[in-house]
Amino acid sequence: MPHVTNRNAAIHYEVLGDAAKPAVALVHGRGGNTAIWFQQVSAFLEEHCVVVFDHRGFGRSHCAETDYDMAHFASDLAAVLDAAGIARAALVCQSMGGWTGMRMAVEYPERVSALVLSNTIAGVSTPAAGAAIEAARAQLAAKGIGASALDPSFVERAPALGYLYQQISGQNPVTAQGWHSRSAAATTPGEAAGITAPALLITADNDPIFPPAAIREIANLVPGAEFRQLSAAGHSPYFEIPETWNAAVLEFLRTVT
């Protein structure tokens, strides 16, 4: 499996499909890694070249504890795209991955053909976002990422998938550090207002970590951003209602890539 070295980390990545098709990078959240996208990869491959990777300290990407810092996430993804020979990609980002995607759009705008932010405030500092972060810290401290990331009714309906989510998340060696260094990856409202890539902010009605109102506030900052709220899912609609989520994201990408 290929790795690229960047800022004292070895970043695992994979490039799947036809390199002649528009590239899409799937950017996982705190509870995920490359494996979490098993319900997306085949669906996206029909129209896109798909890049998956593990953030530093997650899955098969390795770094010393002292080098685990979200401030490096965007340059890690840029290094992955360089290694894959991809000049521009649409970024499809879930939760923590939104910090990566937003900083890519700010720091490397020429590399981002479109930006999808799913169930994430993406590090943008607003009053509602700040309140959501504090509530999320409390939620995760009390219940953990696995219990918080999925709607409880989903786990009741699909216990096997709920168990699978826990197992995938459990492969991440440093997720206990997942909230540290986020201030270093923060984005100001002014920076968000300067985003030039077409953007979609998508969420779900039962998200207990980042409520839809906080996501809409971020969408209102990004010029021309679309906002979409799905039903019958929690913090991880890509996992809970994959067919609906995939269709919404792919429909958006068809119009902008």
Side-chain angles (χ1 to χ4, degrees), residues 168-243:
I168 293 172
S169 180
Q171 302 303 308
N172 296 326
V174 299
T175 50
Q177 303 179 61
W179 289 102
H180 98 202
S181 298
R182 291 200 170 200
S183 60
T187 295
T188 67
E191 287 177 315
I195 298 296
T196 57
L200 167 67
L201 281 85
I202 186 168
T203 187
D205 51 4
N206 296 327
D207 188 340
I209 296 180
F210 297 134
I215 308 300
R216 184 182 289 277
E217 185 176 73
I218 306 304
N220 289 340
L221 292 173
V222 179
E226 297 183 26
F227 174 84
R228 183 154 184 186
Q229 182 174 327
L230 305 179
S231 300
H235 185 62
S236 303
Y238 72 100
F239 194 93
E240 300 168 67
I241 50 171
E243 291 184 0

Side-chain angles (χ1 to χ4, degrees), residues 24 26 40 44 47-48 90-93 116-118 200 202 228 230 238 242-257:
V24 170
L26 302 178
Q40 278 68 55
F44 280 67
E47 301 175 40
H48 298 277
L91 309 183
V92 177
C93 312
V116 177
L117 299 173
S118 179
L200 167 67
I202 186 168
R228 183 154 184 186
L230 305 179
Y238 72 100
E243 291 184 0
T244 301
W245 187 91
N246 292 350
V249 173
L250 286 168
E251 179 184 10
F252 169 73
L253 292 178
R254 287 187 197 106
T255 68
V256 297
T257 59

Side-chain angles (χ1 to χ4, degrees), residues 24-182:
V24 170
L26 302 178
V27 188
H28 70 80
R30 182 182 174 193
N33 49 55
T34 54
I36 207 74
W37 299 114
F38 71 97
Q39 298 178 101
Q40 278 68 55
V41 170
S42 60
F44 280 67
L45 279 175
E46 294 182 12
E47 301 175 40
H48 298 277
C49 173
V50 177
V51 178
V52 292
F53 74 103
D54 295 324
H55 281 105
R56 61 174 59 213
F58 289 76
R60 287 167 283 184
S61 292
H62 308 293
C63 67
E65 184 173 330
T66 53
D67 290 311
Y68 177 78
D69 193 323
M70 291 183 69
H72 301 317
F73 280 10
S75 72
D76 288 343
L77 177 51
V80 165
L81 297 179
D82 287 343
I86 295 172
R88 283 166 55 84
L91 309 183
V92 177
C93 312
Q94 164 67 20
S95 192
M96 182 189 75
W99 272 250
T100 308
M102 184 64 83
R103 291 316 304 170
M104 279 287 294
V106 170
E107 299 174 23
Y108 306 91
E110 73 283 357
R111 310 296 300 270
V112 181
S113 61
L115 181 64
V116 177
L117 299 173
S118 179
N119 299 75
T120 180
I121 59 172
V124 181
S125 51
T126 68
I133 282 289
E134 292 306 313
R137 283 196 179 103
Q139 170 89 0
L140 295 176
K143 296 186 177 181
I145 185 65
S148 302
L150 302 175
D151 188 325
S153 66
F154 170 78
V155 177
E156 293 174 3
R157 296 192 309 271
L161 286 173
Y163 175 79
L164 177 60
Y165 186 97
Q166 294 276 11
Q167 292 302 306
I168 293 172
S169 180
Q171 302 303 308
N172 296 326
V174 299
T175 50
Q177 303 179 61
W179 289 102
H180 98 202
S181 298
R182 291 200 170 200

